[in-house]
Amino acid sequence: MTTVQEIKTEKPTMKREFYHLIINGEKVESSNGATFKTYNPATGEVIAEVAKATKEDTEKAIQAARNAFDFGKWKKSPVNKRSRVLNKIASIMRSRFNELVELEILDTGKSLHAAQGQVMQAIEDFEFYAGAIVGHGGTVNPLPGQFHNYTEKEPVGVCAQIIPWNYPLMMAAWKIAPAIAVGCSVVVKPASLTPLTAIILGEICFEAGVPEGVVNIVPGSGAEVGNYLVEHPQVDKVAFTGSTPIGKDIMARASQTLKRVTLELGGKSPNIVFDDADIDAAVDGSLYGIFYNTGQSCEARSRLYVHEDIYDEFVSKFVEKTKKLKLGNPFDKETHVGAIIDQGQWDVVDGYVKSAIEEGAEILAGGKGAKVEGFENGFWYEPTVIANVNHDMKVVKEEIFGPVVVIMKFKDEKEAIKLANDTEFGLGSAVWSKDGARATRVANQIQAGIVMVNCPFSAMPGTPFGGYKQSGFGRELCIETLDLYTETKSIISYYGSRPLNPFGV
């Protein structure tokens, strides 16, 4: 274990120790009184107790959402009213920005700068959809003869939304905002490891004017609550972000009632650095691409391909900067890398690193757990760089979900594209080159939903986010997302003066 210096700052104090379910606009305890604890990954300490939803609670939430959708006023509300409410949600979130950031850090162990950026994006998601919904509607289509065709967009109904633990508030916003913008009702199941900010967001929605039953939050077991939502016949759509194996299971379960499904799943994203790239920019961007959010990102650029002519120089600079990254108090603005979410995920990360060593790989940086002064009971892992690998190794093929990157050489553009696409995943990717034509050619041939060219950022409100292959389907964070939560109704009318007699009898 390596000791990493901590910059001491005062630790925040939780203002609240118990979090309720949110069902039909009310804070309620679970039907059987069950609770569970949530822990601070940076310290291992309990930070709050949370009501644990049962199937009975989930049924109540579904019925509340169903009644709100079938008989309530939300879906019939004028678009401008829904838009105002979404902006009000964003306004309340802005007024509680520091509280949300603090809570997100305590619940996830992520660094201050990461939490601040993610909370801000969650706010901007509601603002984006408040504007996007105003221009979202049907079309008028030209038809021959005296016929007229137009389409209308109608909300799909009750939506089950299952949130991952790595971006708790941001992912909740990605899903709730477009769904309620078009008039749907939602039942949200946050991850059991990180439920707190999703619960707060549910309370904020109600405070902002979202009617009772439109937004329900039911933290609980995936096997119990999640599966019940996915299989329930009165749930019309499922949106899930998480691992590919669970996504496949959800798709199979949802197929029994032909639910609409959106899946944003795992990734093993390539990061290609050509010989004409700005090396310093590529180093800095690649560093961010894998170690941001402690590498616990589905689109983390965890496979780094560097042209053989600049490989030595790039690797030297990359490793040097990796070793300078600071682990420590997540509330300290100088901290770059936060904690791993829990012991189980720490073991997964360490297991992959050990498998790479056993298969003959070379550890250039990190490769083991880190000890952070003052946070000895937290789950810390050194930012890790692995070389001398090949595509048959587990560490290259499988998603690790931690601060671990593998580096390989390539000789030309053709080989770079082949290596990048040699994966079952297809979520993110990055290309570094000063040659605009080359960057465009490569971007067009990479089998991934997102390509970042000379840029480390993968998601901003308005930019489609989603994957190819086993990284899932459907796009979030964009105007097209509104279509995922709506039905398109086609209406054909005849305006001729003579009655139609198709059979001629």
Side-chain angles (χ1 to χ4, degrees):
M1 302 285 281
T2 300
T3 300
V4 181
Q5 184 178 4
E6 175 207 2
I7 301 175
K8 297 183 182 296
T9 59
E10 184 179 353
K11 295 182 181 179
T13 302
M14 284 287 292
K15 300 181 178 67
R16 182 169 166 183
E17 296 179 351
F18 188 82
Y19 289 76
H20 294 82
L21 314 177
I22 308 295
I23 299 176
N24 205 33
E26 296 182 351
K27 300 178 184 179
V28 299
E29 297 185 9
S30 61
S31 57
N32 64 359
T35 64
F36 65 94
K37 293 178 173 61
T38 183
Y39 296 82
N40 181 346
T43 63
E45 298 171 350
V46 174
I47 56 174
E49 193 168 5
V50 182
K52 184 177 183 180
T54 63
K55 287 183 180 179
E56 181 180 344
D57 298 317
T58 309
E59 178 67 28
K60 289 179 182 177
I62 293 170
Q63 294 309 318
R66 189 80 258 169
N67 289 333
F69 183 78
D70 292 340
F71 308 112
K73 297 180 180 179
W74 181 249
K75 72 174 181 181
K76 299 177 183 178
S77 299
V79 169
N80 60 343
K81 179 178 180 180
R82 278 185 262 133
S83 179
R84 287 197 299 271
V85 172
L86 263 69
N87 275 319
K88 183 67 178 296
I89 293 169
S91 177
I92 295 172
M93 292 174 73
R94 283 185 183 277
S95 70
R96 299 174 65 175
F97 180 81
N98 289 339
E99 174 194 350
L100 291 170
V101 168
E102 176 179 312
L103 198 56
E104 198 78 330
I105 293 172
L106 289 172
D107 214 17
T108 65
K110 65 181 64 203
S111 67
L112 175 64
H113 71 88
Q116 288 175 326
Q118 291 159 31
V119 171
M120 183 55 66
Q121 188 184 112
I123 294 168
E124 292 172 349
D125 290 340
F126 282 95
E127 293 172 336
F128 172 78
Y129 284 110
I133 189 60
V134 175
H136 185 253
T139 59
V140 176
N141 303 309
L143 294 179
Q146 295 175 313
F147 294 94
H148 179 65
N149 173 233
Y150 66 96
T151 65
E152 291 184 345
K153 295 289 187 179
E154 298 181 350
V156 72
V158 174
C159 304
Q161 302 181 315
I162 303 174
I163 312 300
W165 50 258
N166 57 334
Y167 294 101
L169 182 63
M170 195 173 79
M171 290 291 105
W174 279 28
K175 289 176 170 54
I176 294 173
I180 67 173
V182 300
C184 292
S185 297
V186 301
V187 180
V188 179
K189 195 205 88 65
S192 295
L193 290 172
T194 57
L196 304 186
T197 48
I199 295 171
I200 294 295
L201 179 56
E203 296 172 3
I204 289 173
C205 287
F206 184 65
E207 179 184 349
V210 176
E212 296 173 355
V214 173
V215 175
N216 305 275
I217 314 291
V218 285
S221 160
E224 183 174 6
V225 174
N227 289 346
Y228 193 78
L229 284 168
V230 171
E231 295 172 353
H232 201 286
Q234 293 189 55
V235 171
D236 302 297
K237 174 184 170 59
V238 177
F240 169 75
T241 296
S243 72
T244 296
I246 295 177
K248 291 178 180 178
D249 181 66
I250 285 174
M251 190 172 178
R253 292 175 185 273
S255 70
Q256 300 306 303
T257 47
L258 289 181
K259 288 178 174 59
R260 286 143 190 79
V261 178
T262 302
L263 300 174
E264 194 267 282
L265 306 176
K268 192 69 177 177
S269 300
N271 186 14
I272 305 171
V273 183
F274 284 99
D275 52 338
D276 65 342
D278 180 326
I279 292 183
D280 290 332
V283 166
D284 292 341
S286 300
L287 203 72
Y288 181 91
I290 180 58
F291 298 125
Y292 173 75
N293 212 56
T294 319
Q296 298 173 131
S297 299
C298 47
E299 92 304 357
R301 278 120 281 164
S302 55
R303 290 185 293 140
L304 182 51
Y305 300 103
V306 183
H307 191 277
E308 59 187 11
D309 289 350
I310 62 167
Y311 180 85
D312 291 340
E313 180 184 0
F314 180 94
V315 170
S316 175
K317 291 183 176 182
F318 186 83
V319 169
E320 180 184 2
K321 287 204 169 186
T322 297
K323 293 179 178 179
K324 291 181 179 179
L325 293 176
K326 294 181 180 179
L327 285 72
N329 186 344
F331 285 92
D332 194 298
K333 64 181 180 179
E334 299 298 324
T335 296
H336 298 112
V337 181
I340 301 291
I341 190 66
D342 66 358
Q343 184 65 57
Q345 185 59 27
W346 191 99
D347 291 341
V348 167
V349 173
D350 192 52
Y352 274 107
V353 173
K354 287 178 177 176
S355 76
I357 295 171
E358 291 170 359
E359 293 181 89
E362 179 184 3
I363 305 298
L364 301 182
K368 55 187 179 298
K371 183 179 180 181
V372 177
E373 185 181 350
F375 296 83
E376 289 84 0
N377 294 323
F379 310 111
W380 302 89
Y381 207 88
E382 294 182 347
T384 299
V385 182
I386 305 177
N388 192 28
V389 296
N390 61 64
H391 270 233
D392 293 327
M393 293 181 176
K394 283 177 58 178
V395 75
V396 177
K397 296 175 66 174
E398 300 178 13
E399 184 176 40
I400 299 174
F401 228 65
V404 179
V405 63
V406 295
I407 300 185
M408 288 163 277
K409 295 179 184 178
F410 69 89
K411 61 183 178 181
D412 56 30
E413 187 176 311
K414 182 178 180 181
E415 184 183 20
I417 294 168
K418 180 180 179 181
L419 291 169
N421 290 335
D422 184 18
T423 175
E424 64 184 19
F425 300 109
L427 186 55
S429 59
V431 178
W432 300 87
S433 173
K434 293 179 182 178
D435 185 336
R438 166 187 276 168
T440 301
R441 283 196 307 273
V442 174
N444 286 343
Q445 294 178 75
I446 292 178
Q447 298 165 357
I450 306 151
V451 183
M452 293 154 270
V453 177
N454 297 325
C455 169
F457 305 119
S458 62
M460 304 176 191
T463 61
F465 192 97
Y468 286 22
K469 300 189 280 189
Q470 294 195 41
S471 287
F473 48 82
R475 296 295 181 266
E476 295 186 300
L477 199 60
C478 57
I479 290 176
E480 293 95 318
T481 309
L482 297 174
D483 290 331
L484 300 177
Y485 289 97
T486 53
E487 299 279 16
T488 299
K489 178 177 286 183
S490 179
I491 300 168
I492 304 172
S493 61
Y494 172 66
Y495 57 88
S497 59
R498 298 175 59 185
L500 296 171
N501 185 8
F503 280 126
V505 295

